Amino acid sequence: MRNLVVALFSVVGTVSIWFNFLAYNVITSIFVAFIARPIGAYVFGLIGDKHSSKSSLALTLIVMGISTMLISTIEKTWYATYELLMLRIAQGLALGGEWALWLFNGDWHY
């Protein structure tokens, strides 16, 4: 009976640790991406003002595509959390840039 209790507590402890790890990674990466959106809107808005909104939009699409592709290739290593965090920041910057260009520029035809 004692072995069963020890095994049960071991399973519950392991599951809760992995759930906390997963929840922390997901919530943190989503939160950071939301913070990065206004920064991306500012940065890509400046790029659109200096060069052209068409090239800035193409750059945001490239950044979003590359960061999404790299997220799908993340392996389970000790630095995977940091890798995911950096790529989610890149996605947030790109998404903020896309929204800034589409909503505030007025150029709906390319």
Side-chain angles (χ1 to χ4, degrees), residues 32-77:
V32 168
F34 275 114
I35 290 175
R37 285 182 184 179
I39 298 168
Y42 180 74
V43 168
F44 285 107
L46 288 177
I47 293 171
D49 288 343
K50 187 170 184 174
H51 298 288
S52 72
S53 58
K54 193 174 195 177
S55 63
S56 182
L57 180 63
L59 184 60
T60 61
L61 294 173
I62 290 169
V63 169
M64 180 64 80
I66 289 173
S67 60
T68 303
M69 181 195 67
L70 290 175
I71 284 175
S72 68
T73 62
I74 292 177
E75 295 181 11
K76 294 180 181 179
T77 58

Side-chain angles (χ1 to χ4, degrees), residues 5-106:
V5 172
V6 170
L8 182 65
F9 277 105
S10 296
V11 168
V12 169
T14 302
V15 168
S16 68
I17 288 171
W18 278 104
F19 176 75
N20 289 337
F21 179 72
L22 175 69
Y24 173 76
N25 286 337
V26 170
I27 291 169
T28 301
S29 64
I30 291 172
F31 181 73
V32 168
F34 275 114
I35 290 175
R37 285 182 184 179
I39 298 168
Y42 180 74
V43 168
F44 285 107
L46 288 177
I47 293 171
D49 288 343
K50 187 170 184 174
H51 298 288
S52 72
S53 58
K54 193 174 195 177
S55 63
S56 182
L57 180 63
L59 184 60
T60 61
L61 294 173
I62 290 169
V63 169
M64 180 64 80
I66 289 173
S67 60
T68 303
M69 181 195 67
L70 290 175
I71 284 175
S72 68
T73 62
I74 292 177
E75 295 181 11
K76 294 180 181 179
T77 58
W78 66 270
Y79 55 88
T81 304
Y82 306 111
E83 197 173 8
L84 178 64
L85 191 62
M86 291 297 121
L87 292 171
R88 288 293 292 174
I89 289 172
Q91 282 183 330
L93 291 172
L95 189 60
E98 290 172 8
W99 276 69
L101 292 170
W102 285 342
L103 293 178
F104 302 118
N105 195 11

